[in-house]
Amino acid sequence: MELNEWLYTTNYQTFEEWQNLVLDREEVYPALRIPYDEWLEKYIENINDVQHAEVKNLLRCLLEPLTRNQDTSDYAINKMMQRVADAKIRQRAEKMASSENIIRLSKGLDAWEGVTWILELLPIAPYNAVQALESYLYSQPNLPDDRIIGIEQCIEIIFAKFIHCENSIEKLLTLKSVEFEWFIEYLYDHMGYDTLWTKATRDGGKDIIARGKRPDGFEQVYVECKLYKTTRLTLQAVQAFSRVIDKNEVNRGVIFCTGYVSESLKKEDKRIQIWSYKDMHTLLNAHLGSDWIDDVNTIVGIQRRKYG
């Protein structure tokens, strides 16, 4: 049985009926989460057929501010406890009153803030949207169960619609090698790294140097870009890059290859992450937005102006 299934309202029998009630703000329970796991699974399975705007409308409903009857009741009880004669009870009530949901209610606001602002990050920065939702869950340990489940469902939906969707490789294959390097450098910029593109005449076996801070210290990454149409990545190419990593004592290396990459080659050197296009498009979706394919020429133009 689903959580609190015995409380479910009876005014819907299908996902579509439930969704229409939620979108129309009709009385329905649950309203903060999709009622059944199988409905969520089917929705995600067919999500490529759903328009961006429709997906965002559903997410908006699941992420709006919330005040339950229990919240207003708890607030009233807390106010009463602050007025009793027992000093210990008053002290406990005052401590509880410092929680953000009680403070919001005291100001006439909803007990639980909404996070609909993350919709501004879709489809341009879906990974940032996911991180924001995960941070919200972490910062609110006393969230109602329905809201927790609903946010977790929103994360699944965002991954399915905006990160795991596939874009054709053809647009990338129209680029020149140097333009592909610029494009990948732009990606690292948007991932928060300080980057340096190295010209082919003096790259020393790397196309991009990316530097950034991590919780455990400073990181320097060498990036090699292989714009292949039919060529496969070779063992010799990976071993040569390994020697560059050794010589310069950098933290790790990354190879972006649009050609064929065998699974065994990906395990050749644990310090080197190899992104085939099969993997690469997910990274691009996450940090450049699911519509990055429409912006390839614009991004290359920005980089061309940058490098004259």
Side-chain angles (χ1 to χ4, degrees), residues 5-35:
E5 187 172 341
W6 60 278
L7 291 174
Y8 284 17
T9 55
T10 58
N11 51 348
Y12 61 89
Q13 297 297 321
T14 66
F15 172 80
E16 289 72 21
E17 291 176 351
W18 170 84
Q19 181 176 225
N20 288 335
L21 291 169
V22 170
L23 293 175
D24 292 340
R25 305 297 192 273
E26 298 289 342
E27 188 69 29
V28 59
Y29 181 83
L32 301 176
R33 61 184 176 88
I34 296 174

PDB file of all heavy atoms in Angstrom, residues 5-35:
ATOM      1  N   GLU A   5      -2.424   5.593   1.769  1.00  0.00           N
ATOM      2  CA  GLU A   5      -3.331   5.336   0.652  1.00  0.00           C
ATOM      3  C   GLU A   5      -4.786   5.329   1.096  1.00  0.00           C
ATOM      4  O   GLU A   5      -5.687   5.682   0.326  1.00  0.00           O
ATOM      5  CB  GLU A   5      -2.963   4.016  -0.012  1.00  0.00           C
ATOM      6  CG  GLU A   5      -3.734   3.739  -1.287  1.00  0.00           C
ATOM      7  CD  GLU A   5      -3.205   2.524  -2.028  1.00  0.00           C
ATOM      8  OE1 GLU A   5      -2.066   2.122  -1.758  1.00  0.00           O
ATOM      9  OE2 GLU A   5      -3.948   1.988  -2.856  1.00  0.00           O
ATOM     10  N   TRP A   6      -5.005   4.970   2.324  1.00  0.00           N
ATOM     11  CA  TRP A   6      -6.388   4.939   2.826  1.00  0.00           C
ATOM     12  C   TRP A   6      -6.999   6.338   2.916  1.00  0.00           C
ATOM     13  O   TRP A   6      -8.219   6.488   3.015  1.00  0.00           O
ATOM     14  CB  TRP A   6      -6.437   4.269   4.197  1.00  0.00           C
ATOM     15  CG  TRP A   6      -5.610   4.947   5.254  1.00  0.00           C
ATOM     16  CD1 TRP A   6      -4.264   4.812   5.452  1.00  0.00           C
ATOM     17  CD2 TRP A   6      -6.071   5.869   6.240  1.00  0.00           C
ATOM     18  NE1 TRP A   6      -3.849   5.595   6.507  1.00  0.00           N
ATOM     19  CE2 TRP A   6      -4.945   6.257   7.013  1.00  0.00           C
ATOM     20  CE3 TRP A   6      -7.310   6.409   6.552  1.00  0.00           C
ATOM     21  CZ2 TRP A   6      -5.028   7.152   8.073  1.00  0.00           C
ATOM     22  CZ3 TRP A   6      -7.398   7.305   7.615  1.00  0.00           C
ATOM     23  CH2 TRP A   6      -6.261   7.667   8.358  1.00  0.00           C
ATOM     24  N   LEU A   7      -6.141   7.397   2.825  1.00  0.00           N
ATOM     25  CA  LEU A   7      -6.646   8.765   2.866  1.00  0.00           C
ATOM     26  C   LEU A   7      -6.893   9.341   1.479  1.00  0.00           C
ATOM     27  O   LEU A   7      -7.429  10.437   1.346  1.00  0.00           O
ATOM     28  CB  LEU A   7      -5.644   9.679   3.593  1.00  0.00           C
ATOM     29  CG  LEU A   7      -5.474   9.461   5.101  1.00  0.00           C
ATOM     30  CD1 LEU A   7      -4.337  10.340   5.621  1.00  0.00           C
ATOM     31  CD2 LEU A   7      -6.759   9.769   5.848  1.00  0.00           C
ATOM     32  N   TYR A   8      -6.503   8.633   0.440  1.00  0.00           N
ATOM     33  CA  TYR A   8      -6.613   9.160  -0.923  1.00  0.00           C
ATOM     34  C   TYR A   8      -8.061   9.546  -1.229  1.00  0.00           C
ATOM     35  O   TYR A   8      -9.002   8.827  -0.878  1.00  0.00           O
ATOM     36  CB  TYR A   8      -6.171   8.116  -1.951  1.00  0.00           C
ATOM     37  CG  TYR A   8      -4.674   7.913  -2.061  1.00  0.00           C
ATOM     38  CD1 TYR A   8      -3.797   8.340  -1.069  1.00  0.00           C
ATOM     39  CD2 TYR A   8      -4.134   7.278  -3.168  1.00  0.00           C
ATOM     40  CE1 TYR A   8      -2.436   8.138  -1.178  1.00  0.00           C
ATOM     41  CE2 TYR A   8      -2.762   7.060  -3.285  1.00  0.00           C
ATOM     42  CZ  TYR A   8      -1.920   7.500  -2.280  1.00  0.00           C
ATOM     43  OH  TYR A   8      -0.572   7.296  -2.393  1.00  0.00           O
ATOM     44  N   THR A   9      -8.229  10.691  -1.906  1.00  0.00           N
ATOM     45  CA  THR A   9      -9.567  11.065  -2.354  1.00  0.00           C
ATOM     46  C   THR A   9      -9.987  10.156  -3.513  1.00  0.00           C
ATOM     47  O   THR A   9      -9.155   9.545  -4.173  1.00  0.00           O
ATOM     48  CB  THR A   9      -9.595  12.537  -2.816  1.00  0.00           C
ATOM     49  OG1 THR A   9      -8.584  12.733  -3.813  1.00  0.00           O
ATOM     50  CG2 THR A   9      -9.345  13.480  -1.658  1.00  0.00           C
ATOM     51  N   THR A  10     -11.268  10.099  -3.756  1.00  0.00           N
ATOM     52  CA  THR A  10     -11.801   9.157  -4.755  1.00  0.00           C
ATOM     53  C   THR A  10     -12.246   9.855  -6.037  1.00  0.00           C
ATOM     54  O   THR A  10     -12.990   9.273  -6.830  1.00  0.00           O
ATOM     55  CB  THR A  10     -12.997   8.392  -4.156  1.00  0.00           C
ATOM     56  OG1 THR A  10     -14.002   9.329  -3.749  1.00  0.00           O
ATOM     57  CG2 THR A  10     -12.561   7.559  -2.973  1.00  0.00           C
ATOM     58  N   ASN A  11     -11.801  11.102  -6.237  1.00  0.00           N
ATOM     59  CA  ASN A  11     -12.270  11.854  -7.406  1.00  0.00           C
ATOM     60  C   ASN A  11     -11.349  11.719  -8.613  1.00  0.00           C
ATOM     61  O   ASN A  11     -11.362  12.559  -9.508  1.00  0.00           O
ATOM     62  CB  ASN A  11     -12.466  13.335  -7.059  1.00  0.00           C
ATOM     63  CG  ASN A  11     -11.255  13.949  -6.368  1.00  0.00           C
ATOM     64  OD1 ASN A  11     -10.346  13.236  -5.945  1.00  0.00           O
ATOM     65  ND2 ASN A  11     -11.248  15.267  -6.261  1.00  0.00           N
ATOM     66  N   TYR A  12     -10.522  10.675  -8.639  1.00  0.00           N
ATOM     67  CA  TYR A  12      -9.689  10.397  -9.816  1.00  0.00           C
ATOM     68  C   TYR A  12      -9.412   8.902  -9.878  1.00  0.00           C
ATOM     69  O   TYR A  12      -9.345   8.216  -8.850  1.00  0.00           O
ATOM     70  CB  TYR A  12      -8.370  11.183  -9.760  1.00  0.00           C
ATOM     71  CG  TYR A  12      -7.507  10.847  -8.556  1.00  0.00           C
ATOM     72  CD1 TYR A  12      -6.573   9.814  -8.604  1.00  0.00           C
ATOM     73  CD2 TYR A  12      -7.634  11.557  -7.366  1.00  0.00           C
ATOM     74  CE1 TYR A  12      -5.799   9.492  -7.510  1.00  0.00           C
ATOM     75  CE2 TYR A  12      -6.860  11.245  -6.270  1.00  0.00           C
ATOM     76  CZ  TYR A  12      -5.937  10.217  -6.338  1.00  0.00           C
ATOM     77  OH  TYR A  12      -5.169   9.899  -5.243  1.00  0.00           O
ATOM     78  N   GLN A  13      -9.257   8.414 -11.113  1.00  0.00           N
ATOM     79  CA  GLN A  13      -8.951   7.002 -11.317  1.00  0.00           C
ATOM     80  C   GLN A  13      -7.687   6.821 -12.167  1.00  0.00           C
ATOM     81  O   GLN A  13      -7.117   5.739 -12.193  1.00  0.00           O
ATOM     82  CB  GLN A  13     -10.129   6.293 -12.011  1.00  0.00           C
ATOM     83  CG  GLN A  13     -11.407   6.293 -11.191  1.00  0.00           C
ATOM     84  CD  GLN A  13     -11.243   5.528  -9.884  1.00  0.00           C
ATOM     85  OE1 GLN A  13     -10.595   4.492  -9.849  1.00  0.00           O
ATOM     86  NE2 GLN A  13     -11.828   6.069  -8.816  1.00  0.00           N
ATOM     87  N   THR A  14      -7.270   7.859 -12.865  1.00  0.00           N
ATOM     88  CA  THR A  14      -6.105   7.778 -13.738  1.00  0.00           C
ATOM     89  C   THR A  14      -5.150   8.923 -13.439  1.00  0.00           C
ATOM     90  O   THR A  14      -5.531   9.907 -12.775  1.00  0.00           O
ATOM     91  CB  THR A  14      -6.510   7.861 -15.220  1.00  0.00           C
ATOM     92  OG1 THR A  14      -7.043   9.175 -15.481  1.00  0.00           O
ATOM     93  CG2 THR A  14      -7.536   6.798 -15.567  1.00  0.00           C
ATOM     94  N   PHE A  15      -3.920   8.815 -13.949  1.00  0.00           N
ATOM     95  CA  PHE A  15      -2.958   9.900 -13.785  1.00  0.00           C
ATOM     96  C   PHE A  15      -3.475  11.190 -14.404  1.00  0.00           C
ATOM     97  O   PHE A  15      -3.343  12.270 -13.816  1.00  0.00           O
ATOM     98  CB  PHE A  15      -1.615   9.525 -14.428  1.00  0.00           C
ATOM     99  CG  PHE A  15      -0.637  10.668 -14.476  1.00  0.00           C
ATOM    100  CD1 PHE A  15       0.091  11.020 -13.356  1.00  0.00           C
ATOM    101  CD2 PHE A  15      -0.467  11.407 -15.648  1.00  0.00           C
ATOM    102  CE1 PHE A  15       0.984  12.099 -13.384  1.00  0.00           C
ATOM    103  CE2 PHE A  15       0.425  12.472 -15.693  1.00  0.00           C
ATOM    104  CZ  PHE A  15       1.144  12.820 -14.560  1.00  0.00           C
ATOM    105  N   GLU A  16      -4.067  11.098 -15.573  1.00  0.00           N
ATOM    106  CA  GLU A  16      -4.556  12.283 -16.260  1.00  0.00           C
ATOM    107  C   GLU A  16      -5.635  12.986 -15.438  1.00  0.00           C
ATOM    108  O   GLU A  16      -5.645  14.222 -15.344  1.00  0.00           O
ATOM    109  CB  GLU A  16      -5.109  11.918 -17.644  1.00  0.00           C
ATOM    110  CG  GLU A  16      -4.057  11.518 -18.666  1.00  0.00           C
ATOM    111  CD  GLU A  16      -3.443  10.143 -18.402  1.00  0.00           C
ATOM    112  OE1 GLU A  16      -4.092   9.325 -17.688  1.00  0.00           O
ATOM    113  OE2 GLU A  16      -2.333   9.890 -18.899  1.00  0.00           O
ATOM    114  N   GLU A  17      -6.543  12.212 -14.834  1.00  0.00           N
ATOM    115  CA  GLU A  17      -7.590  12.806 -14.002  1.00  0.00           C
ATOM    116  C   GLU A  17      -6.980  13.479 -12.781  1.00  0.00           C
ATOM    117  O   GLU A  17      -7.370  14.595 -12.415  1.00  0.00           O
ATOM    118  CB  GLU A  17      -8.592  11.723 -13.573  1.00  0.00           C
ATOM    119  CG  GLU A  17      -9.445  11.191 -14.705  1.00  0.00           C
ATOM    120  CD  GLU A  17     -10.352  10.056 -14.256  1.00  0.00           C
ATOM    121  OE1 GLU A  17     -10.196   9.582 -13.105  1.00  0.00           O
ATOM    122  OE2 GLU A  17     -11.211   9.643 -15.047  1.00  0.00           O
ATOM    123  N   TRP A  18      -6.027  12.800 -12.149  1.00  0.00           N
ATOM    124  CA  TRP A  18      -5.361  13.383 -10.976  1.00  0.00           C
ATOM    125  C   TRP A  18      -4.626  14.667 -11.353  1.00  0.00           C
ATOM    126  O   TRP A  18      -4.735  15.689 -10.669  1.00  0.00           O
ATOM    127  CB  TRP A  18      -4.365  12.378 -10.389  1.00  0.00           C
ATOM    128  CG  TRP A  18      -3.480  12.968  -9.332  1.00  0.00           C
ATOM    129  CD1 TRP A  18      -3.769  13.125  -8.022  1.00  0.00           C
ATOM    130  CD2 TRP A  18      -2.165  13.513  -9.527  1.00  0.00           C
ATOM    131  NE1 TRP A  18      -2.728  13.743  -7.362  1.00  0.00           N
ATOM    132  CE2 TRP A  18      -1.722  13.982  -8.274  1.00  0.00           C
ATOM    133  CE3 TRP A  18      -1.331  13.647 -10.629  1.00  0.00           C
ATOM    134  CZ2 TRP A  18      -0.468  14.582  -8.090  1.00  0.00           C
ATOM    135  CZ3 TRP A  18      -0.081  14.239 -10.457  1.00  0.00           C
ATOM    136  CH2 TRP A  18       0.330  14.697  -9.206  1.00  0.00           C
ATOM    137  N   GLN A  19      -3.888  14.638 -12.472  1.00  0.00           N
ATOM    138  CA  GLN A  19      -3.111  15.804 -12.884  1.00  0.00           C
ATOM    139  C   GLN A  19      -4.019  16.996 -13.171  1.00  0.00           C
ATOM    140  O   GLN A  19      -3.706  18.128 -12.785  1.00  0.00           O
ATOM    141  CB  GLN A  19      -2.279  15.471 -14.129  1.00  0.00           C
ATOM    142  CG  GLN A  19      -1.420  16.631 -14.603  1.00  0.00           C
ATOM    143  CD  GLN A  19      -0.531  16.253 -15.782  1.00  0.00           C
ATOM    144  OE1 GLN A  19       0.642  16.574 -15.813  1.00  0.00           O
ATOM    145  NE2 GLN A  19      -1.096  15.574 -16.757  1.00  0.00           N
ATOM    146  N   ASN A  20      -5.153  16.762 -13.821  1.00  0.00           N
ATOM    147  CA  ASN A  20      -6.071  17.859 -14.113  1.00  0.00           C
ATOM    148  C   ASN A  20      -6.611  18.484 -12.828  1.00  0.00           C
ATOM    149  O   ASN A  20      -6.760  19.710 -12.730  1.00  0.00           O
ATOM    150  CB  ASN A  20      -7.233  17.361 -14.982  1.00  0.00           C
ATOM    151  CG  ASN A  20      -6.798  17.075 -16.410  1.00  0.00           C
ATOM    152  OD1 ASN A  20      -5.821  17.642 -16.899  1.00  0.00           O
ATOM    153  ND2 ASN A  20      -7.517  16.185 -17.078  1.00  0.00           N
ATOM    154  N   LEU A  21      -6.907  17.660 -11.837  1.00  0.00           N
ATOM    155  CA  LEU A  21      -7.383  18.174 -10.551  1.00  0.00           C
ATOM    156  C   LEU A  21      -6.318  19.031  -9.881  1.00  0.00           C
ATOM    157  O   LEU A  21      -6.608  20.100  -9.328  1.00  0.00           O
ATOM    158  CB  LEU A  21      -7.781  17.015  -9.635  1.00  0.00           C
ATOM    159  CG  LEU A  21      -9.031  16.231 -10.027  1.00  0.00           C
ATOM    160  CD1 LEU A  21      -9.146  14.960  -9.195  1.00  0.00           C
ATOM    161  CD2 LEU A  21     -10.282  17.096  -9.849  1.00  0.00           C
ATOM    162  N   VAL A  22      -5.088  18.557  -9.917  1.00  0.00           N
ATOM    163  CA  VAL A  22      -3.981  19.292  -9.298  1.00  0.00           C
ATOM    164  C   VAL A  22      -3.751  20.617 -10.015  1.00  0.00           C
ATOM    165  O   VAL A  22      -3.599  21.669  -9.372  1.00  0.00           O
ATOM    166  CB  VAL A  22      -2.691  18.437  -9.311  1.00  0.00           C
ATOM    167  CG1 VAL A  22      -1.490  19.269  -8.894  1.00  0.00           C
ATOM    168  CG2 VAL A  22      -2.840  17.244  -8.381  1.00  0.00           C
ATOM    169  N   LEU A  23      -3.734  20.588 -11.348  1.00  0.00           N
ATOM    170  CA  LEU A  23      -3.497  21.807 -12.116  1.00  0.00           C
ATOM    171  C   LEU A  23      -4.621  22.824 -11.923  1.00  0.00           C
ATOM    172  O   LEU A  23      -4.385  24.040 -11.945  1.00  0.00           O
ATOM    173  CB  LEU A  23      -3.357  21.469 -13.602  1.00  0.00           C
ATOM    174  CG  LEU A  23      -2.121  20.654 -14.000  1.00  0.00           C
ATOM    175  CD1 LEU A  23      -2.178  20.277 -15.477  1.00  0.00           C
ATOM    176  CD2 LEU A  23      -0.834  21.416 -13.706  1.00  0.00           C
ATOM    177  N   ASP A  24      -5.854  22.330 -11.712  1.00  0.00           N
ATOM    178  CA  ASP A  24      -7.008  23.218 -11.528  1.00  0.00           C
ATOM    179  C   ASP A  24      -7.203  23.621 -10.070  1.00  0.00           C
ATOM    180  O   ASP A  24      -8.186  24.286  -9.730  1.00  0.00           O
ATOM    181  CB  ASP A  24      -8.283  22.535 -12.038  1.00  0.00           C
ATOM    182  CG  ASP A  24      -8.281  22.357 -13.544  1.00  0.00           C
ATOM    183  OD1 ASP A  24      -7.519  23.078 -14.226  1.00  0.00           O
ATOM    184  OD2 ASP A  24      -9.017  21.484 -14.035  1.00  0.00           O
ATOM    185  N   ARG A  25      -6.277  23.194  -9.198  1.00  0.00           N
ATOM    186  CA  ARG A  25      -6.331  23.506  -7.764  1.00  0.00           C
ATOM    187  C   ARG A  25      -7.605  22.977  -7.095  1.00  0.00           C
ATOM    188  O   ARG A  25      -8.147  23.586  -6.171  1.00  0.00           O
ATOM    189  CB  ARG A  25      -6.233  25.028  -7.519  1.00  0.00           C
ATOM    190  CG  ARG A  25      -5.016  25.703  -8.126  1.00  0.00           C
ATOM    191  CD  ARG A  25      -3.732  25.162  -7.514  1.00  0.00           C
ATOM    192  NE  ARG A  25      -2.578  25.961  -7.856  1.00  0.00           N
ATOM    193  CZ  ARG A  25      -1.850  25.794  -8.962  1.00  0.00           C
ATOM    194  NH1 ARG A  25      -2.190  24.857  -9.838  1.00  0.00           N
ATOM    195  NH2 ARG A  25      -0.792  26.544  -9.203  1.00  0.00           N
ATOM    196  N   GLU A  26      -8.056  21.837  -7.575  1.00  0.00           N
ATOM    197  CA  GLU A  26      -9.232  21.203  -6.968  1.00  0.00           C
ATOM    198  C   GLU A  26      -8.816  20.446  -5.703  1.00  0.00           C
ATOM    199  O   GLU A  26      -7.638  20.149  -5.489  1.00  0.00           O
ATOM    200  CB  GLU A  26      -9.878  20.239  -7.961  1.00  0.00           C
ATOM    201  CG  GLU A  26     -10.401  20.892  -9.226  1.00  0.00           C
ATOM    202  CD  GLU A  26     -11.630  21.743  -8.987  1.00  0.00           C
ATOM    203  OE1 GLU A  26     -12.273  21.570  -7.933  1.00  0.00           O
ATOM    204  OE2 GLU A  26     -11.937  22.588  -9.845  1.00  0.00           O
ATOM    205  N   GLU A  27      -9.790  20.130  -4.882  1.00  0.00           N
ATOM    206  CA  GLU A  27      -9.527  19.365  -3.657  1.00  0.00           C
ATOM    207  C   GLU A  27      -9.156  17.939  -4.027  1.00  0.00           C
ATOM    208  O   GLU A  27      -9.965  17.198  -4.598  1.00  0.00           O
ATOM    209  CB  GLU A  27     -10.771  19.367  -2.766  1.00  0.00           C
ATOM    210  CG  GLU A  27     -10.550  18.773  -1.392  1.00  0.00           C
ATOM    211  CD  GLU A  27      -9.652  19.641  -0.513  1.00  0.00           C
ATOM    212  OE1 GLU A  27      -9.640  20.876  -0.700  1.00  0.00           O
ATOM    213  OE2 GLU A  27      -8.980  19.072   0.358  1.00  0.00           O
ATOM    214  N   VAL A  28      -7.931  17.560  -3.736  1.00  0.00           N
ATOM    215  CA  VAL A  28      -7.468  16.218  -4.085  1.00  0.00           C
ATOM    216  C   VAL A  28      -6.318  15.833  -3.159  1.00  0.00           C
ATOM    217  O   VAL A  28      -5.523  16.680  -2.750  1.00  0.00           O
ATOM    218  CB  VAL A  28      -7.010  16.161  -5.565  1.00  0.00           C
ATOM    219  CG1 VAL A  28      -5.883  17.149  -5.839  1.00  0.00           C
ATOM    220  CG2 VAL A  28      -6.590  14.753  -5.965  1.00  0.00           C
ATOM    221  N   TYR A  29      -6.282  14.568  -2.799  1.00  0.00           N
ATOM    222  CA  TYR A  29      -5.152  14.062  -2.014  1.00  0.00           C
ATOM    223  C   TYR A  29      -4.719  12.718  -2.589  1.00  0.00           C
ATOM    224  O   TYR A  29      -5.556  11.865  -2.855  1.00  0.00           O
ATOM    225  CB  TYR A  29      -5.528  13.880  -0.529  1.00  0.00           C
ATOM    226  CG  TYR A  29      -4.326  13.389   0.263  1.00  0.00           C
ATOM    227  CD1 TYR A  29      -3.374  14.300   0.730  1.00  0.00           C
ATOM    228  CD2 TYR A  29      -4.122  12.026   0.480  1.00  0.00           C
ATOM    229  CE1 TYR A  29      -2.260  13.845   1.412  1.00  0.00           C
ATOM    230  CE2 TYR A  29      -3.004  11.576   1.156  1.00  0.00           C
ATOM    231  CZ  TYR A  29      -2.075  12.484   1.624  1.00  0.00           C
ATOM    232  OH  TYR A  29      -0.966  12.046   2.287  1.00  0.00           O
ATOM    233  N   PRO A  30      -3.368  12.572  -2.759  1.00  0.00           N
ATOM    234  CA  PRO A  30      -2.320  13.558  -2.509  1.00  0.00           C
ATOM    235  C   PRO A  30      -2.214  14.573  -3.643  1.00  0.00           C
ATOM    236  O   PRO A  30      -2.502  14.256  -4.782  1.00  0.00           O
ATOM    237  CB  PRO A  30      -1.053  12.701  -2.433  1.00  0.00           C
ATOM    238  CG  PRO A  30      -1.334  11.544  -3.347  1.00  0.00           C
ATOM    239  CD  PRO A  30      -2.801  11.261  -3.195  1.00  0.00           C
ATOM    240  N   ALA A  31      -1.779  15.787  -3.297  1.00  0.00           N
ATOM    241  CA  ALA A  31      -1.592  16.825  -4.306  1.00  0.00           C
ATOM    242  C   ALA A  31      -0.127  17.216  -4.442  1.00  0.00           C
ATOM    243  O   ALA A  31       0.244  17.861  -5.416  1.00  0.00           O
ATOM    244  CB  ALA A  31      -2.428  18.057  -3.930  1.00  0.00           C
ATOM    245  N   LEU A  32       0.691  16.828  -3.473  1.00  0.00           N
ATOM    246  CA  LEU A  32       2.093  17.232  -3.472  1.00  0.00           C
ATOM    247  C   LEU A  32       3.006  16.192  -4.104  1.00  0.00           C
ATOM    248  O   LEU A  32       4.217  16.400  -4.188  1.00  0.00           O
ATOM    249  CB  LEU A  32       2.567  17.482  -2.031  1.00  0.00           C
ATOM    250  CG  LEU A  32       1.805  18.550  -1.261  1.00  0.00           C
ATOM    251  CD1 LEU A  32       2.315  18.607   0.174  1.00  0.00           C
ATOM    252  CD2 LEU A  32       1.949  19.896  -1.929  1.00  0.00           C
ATOM    253  N   ARG A  33       2.448  15.106  -4.519  1.00  0.00           N
ATOM    254  CA  ARG A  33       3.226  14.036  -5.141  1.00  0.00           C
ATOM    255  C   ARG A  33       2.317  13.226  -6.040  1.00  0.00           C
ATOM    256  O   ARG A  33       1.094  13.198  -5.855  1.00  0.00           O
ATOM    257  CB  ARG A  33       3.853  13.126  -4.094  1.00  0.00           C
ATOM    258  CG  ARG A  33       2.834  12.409  -3.205  1.00  0.00           C
ATOM    259  CD  ARG A  33       3.513  11.590  -2.127  1.00  0.00           C
ATOM    260  NE  ARG A  33       2.553  10.984  -1.225  1.00  0.00           N
ATOM    261  CZ  ARG A  33       1.970   9.797  -1.413  1.00  0.00           C
ATOM    262  NH1 ARG A  33       2.272   9.105  -2.506  1.00  0.00           N
ATOM    263  NH2 ARG A  33       1.120   9.307  -0.550  1.00  0.00           N
ATOM    264  N   ILE A  34       2.922  12.577  -7.024  1.00  0.00           N
ATOM    265  CA  ILE A  34       2.166  11.670  -7.882  1.00  0.00           C
ATOM    266  C   ILE A  34       1.756  10.467  -7.033  1.00  0.00           C
ATOM    267  O   ILE A  34       2.603   9.856  -6.365  1.00  0.00           O
ATOM    268  CB  ILE A  34       3.015  11.250  -9.090  1.00  0.00           C
ATOM    269  CG1 ILE A  34       3.328  12.491  -9.945  1.00  0.00           C
ATOM    270  CG2 ILE A  34       2.307  10.194  -9.925  1.00  0.00           C
ATOM    271  CD1 ILE A  34       4.288  12.239 -11.090  1.00  0.00           C
ATOM    272  N   PRO A  35       0.475  10.106  -7.018  1.00  0.00           N
ATOM    273  CA  PRO A  35      -0.027   9.128  -6.047  1.00  0.00           C
ATOM    274  C   PRO A  35       0.633   7.751  -6.088  1.00  0.00           C
ATOM    275  O   PRO A  35       0.876   7.145  -5.039  1.00  0.00           O
ATOM    276  CB  PRO A  35      -1.516   9.025  -6.393  1.00  0.00           C
ATOM    277  CG  PRO A  35      -1.839  10.300  -7.086  1.00  0.00           C
ATOM    278  CD  PRO A  35      -0.608  10.674  -7.834  1.00  0.00           C
TER     279      PRO A  35
END
